[in-house]
Amino acid sequence: MYKILVKEDLGPVNKLMVIEAPEVARKAKAGQFVIVRIHEEGERIPLTIADYDCQAGTITLIFQEVGKTTIHLGTLKEGDELISFVGPLGLPSQIENYGTVVCVGGGVGIAPIFPIARALREAGNHLISIIGARQKELLFWEDKMRSVSDELIVCTDDGSYGRKALVTQPLKELLETRNDIGRIWAIGPAIMMKFTALTTQPFGVHTEVSLNSIMVDGTGMCGACRVEVGGKTRFVCVDGPEFDGHQVDWDLLLARQRTYLEEEKLAREKFEHECRALAGGK
Amino acid sequence: MAQQPKTAKKPATARPPRQPMPTQEAHVRARNFNEVALGFSLETAMLEASRCLKCKKPKCVLGCPVEVDIPKFVSALADGDLRAAAVALKADNNLPAICGRVCPQETQCEIQCVLGKKFEPVAIGRLERFVADWERTEGGLEMPKVQPPSGKRVAVIGAGPAGLTCAGDLARFGHQVTIFEALHAPGGVLIYGIPEFRLPKDIVHAEVDYVKSLGAEMRLNTVIGKLYTIDELLGEEGFDAVFLGTGAGLPRFMNIPGENHIGVYSANEFLTRVNLMKGYLFPEYDTPVQIGAKVAVVGAGNVAMDASRCSLRLGADEVHIVYRRSRKEVPARAEEVHHAEEEGIIFNFLTNPVEIYGDEKSRVRGMRVIRMELGEPDASGRRRPVPIPGSEYDIEVDTVVMALGTSPNPLVFYDAGGLERTRWGTVVADEQTGRTTKDRVWAGGDLVTGTATVISAMGAGKRAAADINLFLRGMKIPVEEKVAVAQA
């Protein structure tokens, strides 16, 4: 079940996988995610849906190798199978014709932004997209984003490709020079979403962010993913993953994301040690 | 036809006492996840079974939510006929190894036991466990009669006690059953909630395998309300009936300041990390669970007992139960409270949290609590706890587990028009039949009653299966006649 049909390297740490999951593909909508498990002792991790194809019955995932499970996932090959693939989870993005919209994808956040951008364009919006990463090697899907956007701005923090800027700079310029932006979507690392929301707040444009808290079940039964939005506790897995970026308690989210830093380090080191031992034994 | 009670002519001093259950020593078991209760030997089991008076009008059966023929299995056991005991037990109970461990027999069958009026009741639960364990490990499972295929299909949503029982009975009635489970492992609370030391997971796996062997299909990793909706199951997916046994999996929080600090868990999250994801075996298993040195578990139900006892086993130095009412009102099973106290858990009654403090990294460093006193009874009949003004004080803790109870998870209700719910989120369903207000949809277990017991969920699953069977076979018996049939 859940066979890996295609596997691609998108750079040094980002990987793409196309998974055979016809039932999930049939129901998937932009903004949703899946929970994945790759072996019996494995943890359950949320991964955003980067694309879905109802005809082919596939879901595309893009992930960054940051910890044991994503590193392990990155070692799987075409033909291997995931043992759990739960979805589609979360509430879909609120796609409407807002007039003109801006979609901002930071780093691996470009992946979930893509289907949202496409859906917004299909709903009749004039779409301006901004994609950015720390450096050229971490960018991906520029062509795909260009194909669904009316305007595309590409930037890198270090200037190795496109404009040398953080994504918030071109975004601020757009807000300063236009007053017709109906809604903004911003997805990327929490710190990027925080500063994007802070950037747009003075302009009063609603900014949807997709929160990436720690999860266990992903179906609302445990509360591991809880965040505070507008002073109220919300579960990212069932009330989100998208929320009004101006209402999110970013510091709490960032703190809670750091809950298991020590355990994550231990697990990663243990896995890397085991991989070296296996490789050395050959 | 009526037998004389076996021990009627023996003098009272010759009557054997209720046999104690051998258990791991408290200070040893508080640091391991092995099963606490070790089980009877055959000799002890037969001796305990021989205490049964074989009453002409057995009261014990009336106390059992699934109406196990207790006198029948107990007397077979007393005669040493373990096979006959197992057959008698399995006739009504698909999951006896589980019930024998987690049922509150003391408030169900054993409280009705006639012997218990003057002496200690027959240890029915322990005998049930013995017979079930024997069958599973030595005797070999005997397949019950399964009726020929009816051609009808039923979707059972939730592979917990209600769903597994309903599915097992429906499969025996000859219907094609598909069980949809959201998690990656079946069992519901049996697998994520109740810890290994109370209910070993290989027993849950074996009981699930039994239900599958009757012909039920298991589809894991499937969230109804997301992947399929109830209307789709009844429509294009072609099911003739749906049983909802999704339980009460939504955690409750107090909504006090500081409740989102790192180190505050819902009991669901804590127990899921420990039991389902085996966090106590990290890093062999990938999911971690963090426990500090001083833990406060808020609540005093069975879940709170489980959470506090798991905390000890994870290495906490000191574990506290913080409960707003008094010892008399504690809802947990007496046996669980007793085991918890033996293991060294400290009970703080008439105490309620007010605020949780965090450090600069948002990690729990303490909790403010307030003393309570009991006022007038509330809607549940229990005396309402009222805070004593000015009695606040701070306690030093680094982990807090909220075990306040749960309510139904609403995901399943998406696109299930016509399914009436109460204001607490539970599904409205007939107590006898499990029928809901939605055509061809039945429901039972915690989803209907709110948090209750494994066995009452099983009873609801049984009653619903019986009614679904009548419906699928085109038969409709009025409720009064059905009750008469059951008693015959």
Side-chain angles (χ1 to χ4, degrees), chain A residues 23 219 221-222 226 228 259, chain B residues 228 260 264 266 268 290 409:
Chain A
E23 291 155 331
T219 61
M221 59 87 84
C222 82
R226 61 195 192 280
E228 279 178 27
T259 301
Chain B
Y228 299 106
N260 294 326
V264 184
S266 70
N268 267 7
Q290 279 178 356
N409 188 321

Side-chain angles (χ1 to χ4, degrees), chain B residues 136 191 196 199-209 278:
Chain B
R136 189 182 69 257
I191 202 87
E196 179 74 18
L199 180 61
K201 300 311 151 207
D202 60 354
I203 292 174
V204 180
H205 298 321
E207 304 277 69
V208 170
D209 285 344
K278 299 213 196 302

Side-chain angles (χ1 to χ4, degrees), chain B residues 51-68:
Chain B
R51 298 177 68 236
C52 173
L53 299 176
K54 301 192 183 183
C55 304
K56 232 189 303 196
K57 288 194 182 148
K59 295 269 195 72
C60 48
V61 187
L62 300 174
C64 176
V66 297
E67 294 166 8
V68 168

Side-chain angles (χ1 to χ4, degrees), chain A:
Chain A
M1 292 203 77
Y2 320 118
K3 200 186 299 192
I4 301 170
L5 298 175
V6 175
K7 182 192 172 187
E8 263 178 51
D9 280 342
L10 294 179
V13 289
N14 291 332
K15 289 196 160 53
L16 176 151
M17 280 184 177
V18 178
I19 311 291
E20 183 180 34
E23 291 155 331
V24 179
R26 185 178 66 98
K27 279 295 186 71
K29 290 195 167 60
Q32 291 187 299
F33 66 96
V34 293
I35 288 260
V36 158
R37 210 172 57 111
I38 55 182
H39 65 108
E40 283 305 330
E41 296 83 18
E43 52 167 349
R44 297 166 60 95
I45 63 166
L47 292 174
T48 48
I49 292 173
D51 204 353
Y52 47 93
D53 187 334
C54 302
Q55 311 281 57
T58 61
I59 296 281
T60 301
L61 303 174
I62 292 175
F63 58 94
Q64 193 173 95
E65 291 175 319
V66 287
K68 194 247 169 168
T69 302
T70 43
I71 295 171
H72 190 164
L73 181 60
T75 67
L76 298 184
K77 300 181 286 299
E78 288 171 9
D80 286 339
E81 291 178 354
L82 307 177
I83 63 172
S84 295
F85 194 84
V86 189
L89 299 175
L91 297 174
S93 307
Q94 283 179 319
I95 307 293
E96 275 171 40
N97 191 337
Y98 297 98
T100 299
V101 292
V102 182
C103 280
V104 187
V108 73
I110 297 170
I113 267 289
F114 169 72
I116 296 169
R118 180 177 61 193
L120 286 166
R121 182 79 178 302
E122 283 168 7
N125 290 282
H126 176 83
L127 174 63
I128 305 170
S129 296
I130 303 172
I131 58 171
R134 281 201 308 280
Q135 58 200 84
K136 180 182 178 188
E137 290 72 30
L138 299 173
L139 281 171
F140 58 90
W141 279 11
E142 182 188 345
D143 292 339
K144 281 182 90 123
M145 286 300 293
R146 195 177 300 281
S147 73
V148 298
S149 312
D150 292 295
E151 300 169 46
L152 177 67
I153 302 163
V154 183
C155 32
T156 46
D157 294 6
D158 67 0
S160 51
Y161 187 82
R163 178 177 159 181
K164 179 172 197 263
L166 302 175
V167 292
T168 45
Q169 283 162 268
L171 178 61
K172 186 158 184 240
E173 286 158 18
L174 282 170
L175 287 164
E176 283 164 346
T177 55
R178 306 174 74 122
N179 58 5
D180 63 344
I181 295 171
R183 192 170 267 223
I184 298 167
W185 262 262
I187 307 185
I191 193 85
M192 168 253 173
M193 292 190 287
K194 171 182 175 182
F195 281 100
T196 305
L198 286 173
T199 301
T200 67
Q201 185 139 31
F203 299 93
V205 180
H206 183 103
T207 303
E208 282 284 273
V209 293
S210 184
L211 301 185
N212 48 358
S213 51
I214 291 172
M215 288 187 189
V216 182
D217 67 293
T219 61
M221 59 87 84
C222 82
C225 63
R226 61 195 192 280
V227 291
E228 279 178 27
V229 183
K232 291 194 156 64
T233 298
R234 294 275 179 257
F235 288 9
V236 173
C237 66
V238 292
D239 301 317
E242 289 180 16
F243 294 96
D244 177 350
H246 299 149
Q247 301 287 317
V248 172
D249 182 338
W250 292 104
D251 292 337
L252 180 65
L253 172 67
L254 286 160
R256 286 182 66 83
Q257 283 180 331
R258 302 172 72 81
T259 301
Y260 296 99
L261 278 187
E262 270 186 44
E263 289 85 351
E264 288 167 7
K265 181 161 177 266
L266 209 156
R268 193 171 48 235
E269 284 171 0
K270 177 172 178 277
F271 184 68
E272 283 165 355
H273 174 81
E274 283 165 4
C275 287
R276 278 197 297 275
L278 265 177
K282 286 211 175 91

